[in-house]
Amino acid sequence: MKVITRFAPSPTGYIHIGNVRSAIYPYLVARKAKKDGKFILRIEDTDQARYVESATDLILDTLKWLGLSWDEGPDIGGKNGPYYQTERKELYLEYAKKLLEQGRAYADPTDSETIENYRKEDNEKKIPYLYRNHRPETTPEWKEGIPIRFKADPKPRKWHDEVMGDLHAGPEVQDDIILIKKDGLPTYNFAHIIDDYLMGCTHIMRGVEYLPSTPNYLALYEALGIDMPKIVSLPHVLRPDGRKKLGKRDGAKSVTEYREDGILPEAMLNYLACLGWNDGSEQEIYTKEELIEKFSIDRIQNSGARYDETKLLWMNGQWIRRIKDEKGIDALFEKTTGFWPENAKNATDEYRKRVLDIIYDRLKTLSDLREMTTYFFSDPKINIDMLLNNKFLKKLSESELGSLLDISITKLGSLGSWDRNSLQDALNALLEETGKKPAELFSLIRLAVSFAPFSPALNLTLNVIGKEATLARLRAVKVALLSDGE
Ligand code: GLU
């Protein structure tokens, strides 16, 4: 059985989390069907007011970044093209004209002011506004510049939604919807029906916000003599508090922003696929291949899915680790371009890889590198207050701190080898020699070389910073401490 799904975004420039999920699900369904499956990308650009130049490129780029591919689309063409709705104008008109001929549509010259008044009148009378109650008695012959409206056939309607179950609606929600606008372009309501039909789509997977319009679509399918594809309404993505649909204003970043923040595509795909779907197991981390294998429409949840950025960040951390552990440091390093701090620009790739190798398991996003690694690339600014206020160090006097640094400088300075193990041995010996707890002595050394709130294990940190720089930093801090005490 053929499975043909599609993603049909409108190029408005902002790619909401929910939009991308509407691409992932149909992609998974098509790929799961292997050679019987096809995934089509169609650009719904008929709303000229919302159209943003270059938005299509952003969509294609985002999908590619996520690792999604399509079998037909604006960039690669296909037998059902074109894939921009504005280039399919004639097709929609052809079908609209058929409806005109059948008496199932009419040319409607009513201007928008009059329509607005109808709405107001009905509001005042407290009756639900339906355009069909104001249907003009006589209508002109259609010519360009006049909108074409569907002539509704209001009656009880029933349908099945693969996610929402058996649904029904009464005549009160069926109206004379516009098919072709004044500008000659079709409405979404009309265009998608024609396109899905001509492109052979077997499944319409889209946000549940289109569910209330479905009775009107049913009427159109009926009038056009088209079999309705399977309807798969995807649950809303909700705000973290679960109260409302997640919107731009809720601080939800666009996918582009997450990408710029260093969220890995693997994590984004994984997170969004599981936002409203699960396979019934406890598994949380899925590769794309596993998602393709396990995804099924009957496990899409029918209630809204709460968006949880903390979870996304957690998953990203898991993916950072997984890539390093399974594919090696080079594979992870490749993904870090553009995420290093400014002062790393002269460092070699070799050196950056060493830094990455000891810090990757603390990263939540790749852009954490910017904040967390600066002290590996240049001497940090000495901040004596940070030392003195540290919770483990504040019990110690400045002179005590100074002499601890002294002992450390001597010990570390005498090391013949600066490898991780020799360093660990030397640090252990220092604990013994000074009688201090690791929290005290190691916090002191760690802060003195980094002035950062945390760093990887101390021996690893010192190993990467190098002997010369470590000793120089410890000495400089000692001098600063002494002059601070004077
Ligand atoms: N262009 C519509 C949107 O971006 C697509 C809905 C659909 O998939 O049919 O919301």
Side-chain angles (χ1 to χ4, degrees):
M1 248 235 330
K2 284 240 167 304
V3 172
I4 302 175
T5 61
R6 83 311 192 265
F7 175 48
S10 302
T12 59
Y14 174 89
I15 309 185
H16 183 266
I17 294 289
N19 293 145
V20 175
R21 196 193 51 182
S22 300
I24 295 173
Y25 285 9
Y27 165 83
L28 295 174
V29 168
R31 291 295 173 259
K32 186 172 179 160
K34 304 215 171 74
K35 60 176 185 5
D36 290 327
K38 192 157 81 173
F39 178 52
I40 300 177
L41 179 59
R42 174 173 85 220
I43 304 297
E44 303 205 324
D45 57 349
T46 59
D47 188 348
Q48 298 290 299
R50 288 172 71 219
Y51 180 78
V52 173
E53 183 85 43
S54 84
T56 301
D57 290 344
L58 182 67
I59 292 166
L60 301 192
D61 190 50
T62 304
L63 298 182
K64 284 183 192 155
W65 173 72
L66 279 169
L68 306 189
S69 58
W70 45 96
D71 306 299
E72 294 177 23
D75 55 336
I76 51 173
K79 69 177 169 57
N80 298 300
Y83 297 90
Y84 287 98
Q85 287 187 326
T86 45
E87 293 174 16
R88 302 170 64 80
K89 208 171 148 182
E90 297 310 317
L91 287 169
Y92 310 120
L93 203 54
E94 195 183 307
Y95 282 88
K97 281 183 184 159
K98 274 190 200 159
L99 291 172
L100 282 174
E101 279 160 26
Q102 292 166 23
R104 290 309 312 273
Y106 55 95
D108 184 3
T110 316
D111 59 59
S112 48
E113 208 178 313
T114 311
I115 297 175
E116 203 34 53
N117 285 335
Y118 290 156
R119 192 188 300 272
K120 276 193 202 137
E121 283 166 25
D122 287 355
N123 277 346
E124 276 159 24
K125 289 190 215 146
K126 300 209 180 339
I127 54 171
Y129 166 76
L130 282 168
Y131 189 79
R132 62 179 158 84
N133 294 335
H134 306 276
R135 198 182 276 168
E137 269 160 30
T138 53
T139 54
E141 193 73 6
W142 179 78
K143 62 175 193 328
E144 247 171 87
I146 306 183
I148 302 179
R149 269 189 198 267
F150 183 56
K151 199 179 269 178
D153 175 18
K155 61 182 182 193
R157 295 190 184 270
K158 282 191 189 145
W159 73 102
H160 181 74
D161 184 304
E162 302 299 311
V163 175
M164 304 297 162
D166 288 326
L167 303 171
H168 57 89
E172 68 284 357
V173 293
Q174 296 161 51
D175 204 1
D176 287 3
I177 56 174
I178 295 184
L179 307 177
I180 303 288
K181 297 176 287 182
K182 221 162 96 178
D183 63 6
L185 286 167
T187 54
Y188 164 77
N189 290 337
F190 187 49
H192 85 274
I193 287 182
I194 304 302
D195 287 343
D196 288 338
Y197 167 63
L198 294 175
M199 294 179 180
C201 297
T202 57
H203 295 68
I204 299 187
M205 303 180 71
R206 66 178 163 215
V208 69
E209 58 271 24
Y210 292 96
L211 196 143
S213 309
T214 308
N216 284 321
Y217 303 155
L218 293 177
L220 267 170
Y221 286 119
E222 195 176 74
L224 290 162
I226 292 176
D227 286 337
M228 184 173 80
K230 288 199 159 92
I231 303 281
V232 186
S233 296
L234 309 178
H236 283 312
V237 177
L238 303 177
R239 292 194 318 205
D241 64 10
R243 290 226 186 121
K244 269 177 88 180
K245 223 175 114 176
L246 181 78
K248 252 199 228 188
R249 263 174 261 124
D250 303 314
K253 293 184 196 156
S254 71
V255 176
T256 318
E257 285 169 286
Y258 281 116
R259 180 177 173 180
E260 284 163 1
D261 279 355
I263 294 290
L264 290 168
E266 291 85 347
M268 195 76 191
L269 183 77
N270 188 165
Y271 179 73
L272 292 179
C274 297
L275 191 62
W277 168 85
N278 67 74
D279 69 357
S281 75
E282 297 289 299
Q283 188 172 344
E284 295 200 275
I285 304 298
Y286 293 89
T287 61
K288 185 172 83 179
E289 289 66 33
E290 286 171 314
L291 287 170
I292 292 172
E293 189 194 315
K294 308 221 162 130
F295 193 83
S296 69
I297 289 177
D298 56 11
R299 291 209 59 94
I300 298 175
Q301 71 187 47
N302 58 15
S303 55
R306 279 177 204 224
Y307 181 67
D308 178 356
E309 193 178 270
T310 317
K311 179 98 185 254
L312 170 64
L313 293 176
W314 170 81
M315 226 174 234
N316 200 50
Q318 297 293 311
W319 268 102
I320 290 175
R321 262 162 263 185
R322 185 169 172 142
I323 290 172
K324 151 72 175 63
D325 296 343
E326 286 182 1
K327 299 191 178 159
I329 194 71
D330 287 339
L332 181 60
F333 181 69
E334 265 176 37
K335 299 186 179 264
T336 62
T337 312
F339 292 106
W340 291 93
E342 182 58 28
N343 69 346
K345 67 174 184 289
N346 295 324
T348 61
D349 283 358
E350 212 44 56
Y351 184 74
R352 287 192 224 204
K353 277 184 210 171
R354 289 179 62 203
V355 174
L356 184 64
D357 195 39
I358 64 170
I359 208 146
Y360 75 94
D361 58 351
R362 288 168 190 257
L363 302 175
K364 284 216 169 74
T365 70
L366 296 176
S367 64
D368 286 344
L369 284 172
R370 249 174 239 142
E371 310 250 292
M372 285 167 61
T373 67
T374 51
Y375 60 88
F376 285 105
F377 301 101
S378 55
D379 292 339
K381 195 162 169 294
I382 294 177
N383 178 349
I384 295 299
D385 283 343
M386 191 170 173
L387 275 190
L388 300 178
N389 295 327
N390 177 277
K391 72 172 175 206
F392 300 111
L393 304 180
K394 59 177 175 231
K395 290 168 271 175
L396 306 176
S397 68
E398 290 184 31
S399 68
E400 214 174 337
L401 290 171
S403 64
L404 283 174
L405 281 173
D406 244 346
I407 305 172
S408 307
I409 293 165
T410 312
K411 183 82 191 174
L412 295 171
S414 71
L415 275 184
S417 165
W418 196 258
D419 60 63
R420 296 169 169 199
N421 293 338
S422 314
L423 278 163
Q424 192 56 54
D425 292 345
L427 291 169
N428 290 342
L430 269 172
L431 288 178
E432 245 170 67
E433 221 173 299
T434 59
K436 290 290 165 206
K437 296 192 192 98
E440 294 165 330
L441 185 71
F442 293 176
S443 297
L444 174 62
I445 301 177
R446 182 197 304 282
L447 281 175
V449 298
S450 69
F451 285 99
F454 41 76
S455 80
L458 189 53
N459 66 322
L460 306 182
T461 306
L462 300 184
N463 171 256
V464 172
I465 290 175
K467 184 170 181 179
E468 210 180 307
T470 299
L471 295 175
R473 290 182 193 181
L474 295 178
R475 286 195 194 103
V477 174
K478 199 191 88 181
V479 171
L481 256 182
L482 293 181
S483 57
D484 191 66
E486 274 161 12

